[in-house]
Amino acid sequence: MVWSGFRPSDDACTYGYLVPANMFAAVSLHQLGRIARQVFRDDALATEAAALADEIRVGIDQFGRSGSAVRTPSAAGSGRSRCRCKAAPRRPAASGRR
């Protein structure tokens, strides 16, 4: 996984492995691999980007889960994970009228 010092909101990370940012990085690296192969005809870059994306996804699957299939917002990097959203309030349904 990729270590992050700050969240997108510029708040410092309590745990440095921000799972949503790592998921975004994995998707972006796969997209880079497709661009490298189709546009630049650079198979070496495409292979390297895909390998790094796969490595990040393995890290997410191994360290970014709490329970069977729940991905946590951040991971400690030591096998522990932290989820602050256990009792997140639900948004009211949009009624269309105000």
Side-chain angles (χ1 to χ4, degrees):
M1 293 178 67
V2 178
W3 187 86
S4 302
F6 296 92
R7 298 181 182 279
S9 62
D10 287 336
D11 295 333
C13 289
T14 302
Y15 297 107
Y17 297 98
L18 188 61
V19 175
N22 276 277
M23 294 169 81
F24 179 77
V27 169
S28 297
L29 284 164
H30 273 294
Q31 292 171 343
L32 173 64
R34 284 199 308 264
I35 292 169
R37 184 165 281 121
Q38 294 172 2
V39 176
F40 298 119
R41 310 280 188 236
D42 189 344
D43 289 333
L45 176 60
T47 302
E48 189 173 342
L52 183 55
D54 291 341
E55 188 176 330
I56 291 171
R57 287 187 180 192
V58 167
I60 291 169
D61 287 339
Q62 187 174 0
F63 300 110
R65 290 184 182 267
S66 175
S68 63
V70 178
R71 289 199 170 103
T72 61
S74 58
S78 62
R80 297 177 306 165
S81 59
R82 180 174 182 182
C83 181
R84 295 183 186 159
C85 56
K86 291 179 184 169
R90 296 186 62 128
R91 285 185 162 175
S95 63
R97 292 185 187 180
R98 291 196 176 229

